[in-house]
Amino acid sequence: MKYIAPRWLPGGHLQTIWPALYSRRGFGPPPEYRRERWDTPDGDFVDVDFLANAGVAAQPAADTRPLLVVFHGLEGSSRSHYCEAFADFARERGWACALPHFRGCSGEINRAPRAYHSGDHAEIGWMLQRLRAAHAGPIMAVGVSLGGNALLRWAAEVGEDAAQSVGAVAAVCSPVDLAAGGHAIGSGFNRQVYTRMFMRSLVPKALQKLAQHPGLFDRQALLAARDLYAFDNIFTAPLHGFRNTEDYWLRASAKPLLHRIRVPALVVNARNDPFVPAASLPLPHEVGSSGHVTLWQPPHGGHVGFARGRLPGHVRAMPDAVGGWLAEHAGANGAPGSARQQGAQSPHG
């Protein structure tokens, strides 16, 4: 991905904040979704949004169009700027698009004590298997930030079996070294801006879980938490089978396992991402010699920004590039619904 930020948008922080708040997300109207609620094997539920009139068909086994699955990031949803941009890309190509929500991120708190986390590969695998069973066409999956790390963890865990569910995967701006990302977001400007933003959402949700399940964790300790390290130590780690934050960040990170991936996988990270230090990004020799993992590390882009065009800009540059790569490597370019858009990587400037 040969991305250069516009002159009017300098620096990793601006390239992160401005696109999320002000840039255009697509070239058509905001995507319309239809929602399905899926019961999980452990008695909980997840909500999955499908691109309306372009999602899985009424009889999905007959739908041979490419299906793009988009996994959101920490506290994201199908309405996050990057999700709407990917949905706009899929609509333009005539693809189906599914946007699963991690537990508690669809606007309604989930039932079980657990929530979601960066290494939630079993949940990813279950969602993809269900989508595969309901769709006949090629399936591609992209995860953004937290969702990308979890997606790569799944691909590494299952190895060659990943090809039974997907043709190719991509991770965008994912902290594949969770310790490096966690320390970065917990210091300096990041702590004052991004950490506070996440904590404003995470803490009330955790308190809702405590109301559902009294005694789940120490309420006063949670209220005293001021960063993600403390939050993960009190809530995320113990609720999901980890000893503490260090154990969670170590065992959930995708970076040490990238060499195990056996489907085409794209790992995209801007080198000026405030959340993901450039020094922590995987190097070519760390992804193995199989040729399955491709690294894109452009100098600019911020954290899931990649704005392009005149002020206020648009955020379709990254979905166009990533979606085009996925289509090529998943054999989706020749599938029904995609031909009219082949070669149209960035027709809008």
Side-chain angles (χ1 to χ4, degrees):
M1 183 178 183
K2 297 180 180 178
Y3 173 79
I4 301 296
R7 290 186 178 181
W8 54 266
L9 196 62
H13 291 298
L14 277 177
Q15 290 166 24
T16 298
I17 297 169
W18 179 273
L21 296 179
Y22 304 115
S23 293
R24 289 177 293 140
R25 301 177 175 194
F27 302 114
E32 296 183 10
Y33 299 132
R34 63 175 182 83
R35 176 161 293 185
E36 291 185 6
R37 175 157 292 184
W38 294 354
D39 292 325
T40 64
D42 62 346
D44 207 345
F45 70 89
V46 295
D47 290 325
V48 183
D49 284 351
F50 292 90
L51 192 57
N53 301 318
V56 178
Q59 295 183 345
D63 192 346
T64 59
R65 294 170 301 153
L67 170 63
L68 179 64
V69 186
V70 185
F71 294 101
H72 63 77
L74 181 64
E75 292 301 275
S77 75
S78 63
R79 288 300 174 189
S80 295
H81 68 289
Y82 50 83
C83 282
E84 291 199 349
F86 271 110
D88 189 68
F89 168 83
R91 176 175 57 192
E92 188 176 86
R93 286 215 169 191
W95 293 357
C97 186
L99 303 100
H101 291 89
F102 294 117
R103 302 191 194 201
C105 291
S106 62
E108 182 176 340
I109 201 71
N110 61 304
R111 294 189 290 260
R114 63 157 292 173
Y116 68 104
H117 62 89
S118 296
D120 214 350
H121 58 86
E123 191 92 306
I124 293 273
W126 174 75
M127 291 175 174
L128 290 174
Q129 286 178 344
R130 180 157 177 163
L131 288 164
R132 177 71 283 170
H135 193 81
I139 294 182
M140 301 153 284
V142 58
V144 177
S145 198
L146 174 149
N149 184 79
L151 178 62
L152 294 175
R153 281 284 284 108
W154 166 78
E157 286 287 336
V158 300
E160 294 181 357
D161 288 343
Q164 297 177 13
S165 298
V166 296
V169 299
V172 177
C173 295
S174 297
V176 293
D177 180 338
L178 289 170
H183 291 306
I185 201 170
S187 61
F189 180 86
N190 291 349
R191 181 186 179 93
Q192 298 303 316
V193 177
Y194 308 119
T195 293
R196 288 184 175 182
M197 175 190 70
F198 286 128
M199 295 292 280
R200 280 197 297 268
S201 174
L202 288 166
V203 170
K205 282 187 181 180
L207 293 175
Q208 285 184 279
K209 301 306 297 179
L210 186 62
Q212 281 181 322
H213 304 278
L216 193 61
F217 57 83
D218 185 331
R219 184 176 188 272
Q220 291 307 313
L222 182 83
L223 293 175
R226 293 293 178 266
D227 56 27
L228 295 179
Y229 180 95
F231 180 87
D232 286 344
N233 219 32
I234 299 159
F235 182 84
T236 311
L239 262 66
H240 299 100
F242 303 99
R243 292 191 306 274
N244 51 34
T245 296
E246 286 88 352
D247 184 48
Y248 163 43
W249 287 355
L250 176 65
R251 291 169 52 199
S253 293
K255 182 179 176 180
L257 304 177
L258 293 177
H259 65 279
R260 293 192 195 173
I261 294 176
R262 291 296 180 267
V263 291
L266 177 64
V267 184
V268 183
N269 292 95
R271 298 190 67 83
N272 69 346
D273 186 333
F275 296 7
V276 185
S280 73
L281 297 181
L283 299 172
H285 74 269
E286 294 177 300
V287 303
S289 58
S290 67
H292 288 99
V293 179
T294 298
L295 303 177
W296 284 358
Q297 297 175 358
H300 304 153
H303 189 72
V304 204
F306 300 103
R308 180 167 285 171
R310 296 180 179 177
L311 196 73
H314 63 78
V315 293
R316 272 285 305 273
M318 183 269 292
D320 284 356
V322 172
W325 188 95
L326 286 169
E328 177 183 351
H329 289 81
N333 275 332
S338 63
R340 70 173 181 271
Q341 292 299 334
Q342 286 185 35
Q345 284 283 324
S346 184
H348 308 282

